[in-house]
Amino acid sequence: MHVIVCVKQVPSVEEVKVDAETGRILREELPLMVNPNDRNAIEAALRLRDEVGGTVTAVSMGPPQAEEALREAMAMGVNRAVLISDPALAGSDAFVTSKVLAKAALKLAPFDLIVCGSRSADGETGIVGVQIAEELNLPQITWVLELKVEGEVVRAKRSIDGGYEIVEACLPAVVTVTRDANKPRYPTMRSIVEACRRPIERLSLKDLGLSPEEVGFKGSPTRIERVFQAERKRRATIISKPVEEAAREVALMILRELGKV
Amino acid sequence: MERACGECWVFVEHKDGRIKQASLELMAKGREVADGLSRELAAVVLGWNIGNVAVELARHGADKVYLVEHPLLERYQVDLYCKAVSDLASEVKPDVILFSSTRVGCELAPKVAKRLRTGMTADCLDLRVDASRGLVKQVKASFGGNVMVEVVTPFHRPQIATVKPGVATPVVKERREVVVRVTPKLDEREVKVRVVEKLETQKEDNLELAEVVVAGGRGAGEEGFRLIRRLAEILGGEIGGTRPAADEGWIPRERQIGQSGRIVSPKIYISLGASGALQHVVGFRRAGLVIAVNKDPKAPIFDHADVGVVADVKEFLEALIQELEKYLNAR
Ligand SMILES: Cc1cc2nc3c(=O)[nH]c(=O)nc-3n(C[C@H](O)[C@H](O)[C@H](O)COP(=O)(O)OP(=O)(O)OC[C@H]3O[C@@H](n4cnc5c(N)ncnc54)[C@H](O)[C@@H]3O)c2cc1C
């Protein structure tokens, strides 16, 4: 079985710094990492491979340094890593990203399954996985919690509004896995060292048969028009009293607000 | 650019003959957008034998209802729903299509957008209108909620967005009811994903409608959450929490509050042992009185609360519960 897993390198959003004057995100200062949810995708892919055999290929679209994310995927245990990098790709939105990743999958065909994280930590769109499926006209299973492949069929437990459902689709298919799907493994020291020695394959736009006009900023239907900091509407009055007194004051406040006193 | 007919569409979800709360809220947002752009608001509702739902929609501000009925649409299925909506949109060419950020909306909207070869923005917290350019400015949190961004789709139509439940309040606005019946061309062979079994586990909770929400963070700990449940019970409120609280299993994932969780707007929001990360804070911006408890006086949560108490969650909750019980028992 050949599983393709999509991996994105993202800034560590817990440490985002914003230029106070312009509201611009100081991207250069952010440490980079594998999108946390994509680790769940890698883990799901690896478990499938370990169950039924085959190979896992990690694919990333990004600038040259996205190589680091792929190294991490290799250290976790993926067999192959492919980086799609081209200056023309800068500014691509989810629509374009899914087109590029879909083309890459075709280039790497045959494949049985494409696994993505449900969403990325920076853009937080949750769009890419779904749109890869649509682009390739393949079955799409989103919000996956459990995954099994039996013969030519993928079976998944997925989260829906108000509960869960078990669904089935024929391979090849595209699935997006949630944070709750699994606990991603940590690479070992040895696997990290080994991953550094292995080659990372590269694909250019030309390899994928795409023109610069179709991708990047030019090819993207959406535009970010403004970045701003959400305004702070409140500033708490601190009750600095011993706990019992503070609790009494808060209790009164609550009862008053609810119209009970 | 493709010519659009100018309609603003809202994709409506319903269950057991009732329109979902999220869709009613979205109708209110849609009405604002349609009015801002001087356009008609159309509700698009899919199903089988759902005429009563269409009538209800006119009460919530729709100028027009597309009633898309087919036996194969009786239950939601992504491939068929996508085809029915996309085909109709290809024919009518609406200017805007809005979906709720529910599980259904989150997988349907991107698929429809791709099929119509247009852009979309996910999980919007607000929609604003730039009437002079005919654009919907789609406001969402980005970079883990640290910043807000405004996204537009200038040259492609329709403009598509999913909007988070909880960011608007439903309104009752009577309109003349114009129902357009649509019979989509569907074929069972188009179904690529088959549902084998459905397990409904959670009753629909009232988090978005709750008057009181008591929410805990990592700092509350398991013991704290026992007291949080007790407090919610006493106040007739609902419980919620931060992402770590959900990760730890102290609350069900469905009760995570914030950008990748739910948006609540209770009269009173009580935050216990949460640091006040912006990803979490966007979840209760619309609340009335916000009370925060954290043992760290420098915790950012105090910048997003009206009243702050610097204390240990457990000690504070024990005292607060005691106070409230004293009062309630005295009555
Ligand atoms: C893409 C993305 C999306 C996210 N979406 C969400 C979301 O929707 N919702 C969400 O909540 N988070 C979300 N997060 C996570 C968010 O960034 C924060 O990590 C999270 O909100 C922090 O949770 P917390 O406040 O419970 O934990 P912590 O940040 O660990 O804070 C715990 C707090 O408790 C206090 N404390 C500890 N012990 C005690 C005690 N005994 N008594 C009193 N106070 C105590 C500490 O002082 C501290 O301030 C998201 C993150 C990313 C990257």
Side-chain angles (χ1 to χ4, degrees):
Chain A
M1 189 174 62
H2 182 201
V3 182
I4 294 175
V5 56
C6 300
V7 176
K8 185 183 187 183
Q9 189 181 45
V10 297
S12 165
V13 292
E14 314 270 341
E15 296 166 51
V16 170
K17 290 199 187 72
V18 179
D19 184 319
E21 265 169 33
T22 61
R24 290 267 155 222
I25 296 156
L26 303 171
R27 260 183 188 263
E28 312 72 44
E29 292 178 25
L30 294 173
L32 298 167
M33 60 177 190
V34 175
N35 176 40
N37 190 199
D38 293 352
R39 290 176 184 280
N40 301 102
I42 296 168
E43 181 64 36
L46 293 174
R47 287 189 193 179
L48 278 182
R49 178 199 62 191
D50 294 346
E51 266 168 47
V52 297
T55 55
V56 175
T57 306
V59 181
S60 186
M61 174 186 121
Q65 67 262 33
E67 211 181 281
E68 291 161 35
L70 288 171
R71 294 247 177 258
E72 234 175 290
M74 282 203 282
M76 279 176 77
V78 310
N79 305 81
R80 282 173 75 186
V82 179
L83 177 65
I84 311 154
S85 200
D86 198 300
L89 288 168
S92 297
D93 69 359
F95 182 91
V96 167
T97 304
S98 58
K99 176 157 67 181
V100 173
L101 289 171
K103 289 271 190 218
L106 292 177
K107 191 87 187 168
L108 297 166
F111 61 86
D112 300 283
L113 201 62
I114 299 177
V115 185
C116 300
S118 287
R119 46 180 51 215
S120 69
D122 52 352
E124 273 241 73
T125 68
I127 301 174
V128 171
V130 170
Q131 294 201 335
I132 291 174
E134 177 61 22
E135 187 86 34
L136 296 171
N137 195 21
L138 293 178
Q140 112 189 13
I141 310 179
T142 53
W143 309 107
V144 166
L145 293 159
E146 285 168 26
L147 200 56
K148 253 204 152 36
V149 169
E150 284 159 7
E152 294 297 299
V153 174
V154 53
R155 189 182 246 267
K157 176 177 173 185
R158 70 184 209 102
S159 162
I160 56 170
D161 297 309
Y164 305 99
E165 67 184 14
I166 312 283
V167 297
E168 272 181 5
C170 288
L171 299 176
V174 181
V175 302
T176 72
V177 302
T178 67
R179 289 166 54 80
D180 296 320
N182 52 42
K183 280 231 178 316
R185 68 192 68 184
Y186 286 106
T188 61
M189 213 46 205
R190 212 175 105 202
S191 67
I192 293 171
V193 173
E194 261 170 27
C196 288
R197 293 206 201 99
R198 282 160 53 198
I200 286 178
E201 298 160 53
R202 302 198 171 247
L203 287 174
S204 67
L205 270 190
K206 223 165 107 208
D207 295 327
L208 300 181
L210 288 165
S211 74
E213 283 69 39
E214 289 176 82
V215 300
F217 190 69
K218 274 191 199 148
S220 296
T222 59
R223 298 263 184 287
I224 293 184
E225 203 158 64
R226 193 160 78 94
V227 179
F228 59 104
Q229 221 144 16
E231 81 267 37
R232 212 167 34 200
K233 282 209 234 97
R234 315 175 197 255
R235 159 98 3 114
T237 313
I238 305 286
I239 305 178
S240 10
K241 289 181 183 161
V243 173
E244 279 75 22
E245 278 173 54
R248 193 167 314 135
E249 202 165 311
V250 170
L252 268 174
M253 209 178 281
I254 291 172
L255 292 167
R256 214 176 292 133
E257 195 71 17
L258 293 176
K260 293 196 176 167
V261 286
Chain B
M1 179 164 73
E2 277 226 42
R3 275 271 299 279
C5 75
E7 281 174 4
C8 171
W9 284 10
V10 168
F11 175 82
V12 172
E13 295 175 46
H14 54 93
K15 197 180 172 212
D16 306 326
R18 293 193 43 211
I19 301 165
K20 290 209 171 162
Q21 173 71 14
S23 296
L24 293 179
E25 292 172 9
L26 193 60
M27 289 292 295
K29 235 335 141 235
R31 188 70 255 170
E32 257 177 64
V33 171
D35 289 346
L37 293 171
S38 312
R39 302 279 161 83
E40 286 208 310
L41 177 68
V44 179
V45 57
L46 278 59
W48 183 235
N49 290 332
I50 48 160
N52 55 330
V53 174
V55 175
E56 184 66 17
L57 284 166
R59 281 192 55 233
H60 287 280
D63 298 307
K64 192 191 256 182
V65 178
Y66 289 100
L67 184 60
V68 187
E69 287 188 302
H70 193 290
L72 285 175
L73 296 177
E74 183 160 15
R75 270 191 214 96
Y76 168 75
Q77 200 285 332
V78 67
D79 298 304
L80 297 175
Y81 270 55
C82 174
K83 178 154 197 307
V85 175
S86 312
D87 284 357
L88 186 62
S90 302
E91 192 188 313
V92 182
K93 302 204 186 316
D95 195 26
V96 178
I97 311 181
L98 306 178
F99 295 82
S100 299
S101 280
T102 52
R103 291 288 202 229
V104 166
C106 287
E107 67 170 17
L108 194 54
K111 199 171 177 71
V112 168
K114 192 76 180 187
R115 194 162 296 182
L116 298 175
R117 318 227 51 87
T118 187
M120 72 157 283
T121 307
D123 290 345
C124 294
L125 296 170
D126 197 10
L127 301 173
R128 296 170 191 164
V129 166
D130 182 343
S132 63
R133 292 190 295 163
L135 294 180
V136 179
K137 300 204 251 180
Q138 304 153 0
V139 182
K140 70 167 290 172
S142 189
F143 280 88
N146 288 287
V147 293
M148 307 290 277
V149 296
E150 218 170 68
V151 182
V152 292
T153 308
F155 309 118
H156 296 66
R157 290 294 177 273
Q159 308 173 69
I160 299 184
T162 65
V163 179
K164 286 209 70 106
V167 301
T169 313
V171 289
V172 175
K173 244 191 185 156
E174 293 282 350
R175 291 270 157 169
R176 202 165 18 93
E177 164 201 340
V178 181
V179 175
V180 181
R181 288 182 178 272
V182 182
T183 310
K185 286 197 192 65
L186 297 174
D187 185 334
E188 199 147 16
R189 278 168 301 185
E190 280 161 275
V191 174
K192 295 199 196 79
V193 179
R194 219 168 47 82
V195 178
V196 182
E197 196 183 339
K198 231 186 178 81
L199 309 151
E200 294 199 41
T201 49
Q202 309 115 25
K203 282 189 266 97
E204 285 210 39
D205 62 54
N206 289 319
L207 214 46
E208 276 94 6
L209 301 175
E211 276 213 326
V212 179
V213 173
V214 188
R218 194 184 338 247
E222 201 166 0
E223 187 64 6
F225 267 90
R226 199 179 52 76
L227 296 166
I228 283 171
R229 278 192 289 276
R230 179 84 192 101
L231 178 60
E233 218 173 280
I234 293 172
L235 297 174
E238 298 274 338
I239 61 158
T242 64
R243 184 149 104 180
D247 287 346
E248 294 289 341
W250 299 332
I251 50 161
R253 174 69 68 200
E254 295 73 40
R255 285 178 179 264
Q256 177 181 317
I257 289 165
Q259 184 191 348
S260 35
R262 310 268 288 268
I263 308 277
V264 295
S265 47
K267 259 193 192 158
I268 305 178
Y269 184 88
I270 309 173
S271 160
L272 299 140
S275 58
L278 280 156
Q279 294 93 329
H280 175 62
V281 169
V282 295
F284 61 86
R285 277 233 173 86
R286 278 164 39 91
L289 177 68
V290 176
I291 300 167
V293 180
N294 195 305
K295 67 177 182 190
D296 174 7
K298 291 210 198 74
I301 189 77
F302 294 127
D303 289 337
H304 304 280
D306 301 298
V307 177
V309 180
V310 180
D312 173 72
V313 167
K314 204 170 144 263
E315 276 174 40
F316 178 80
L317 276 177
E318 274 165 358
L320 179 64
I321 289 170
Q322 208 174 13
E323 283 298 326
L324 289 167
E325 278 176 339
K326 221 190 294 172
Y327 171 81
L328 295 168
N329 290 340
R331 277 210 306 184

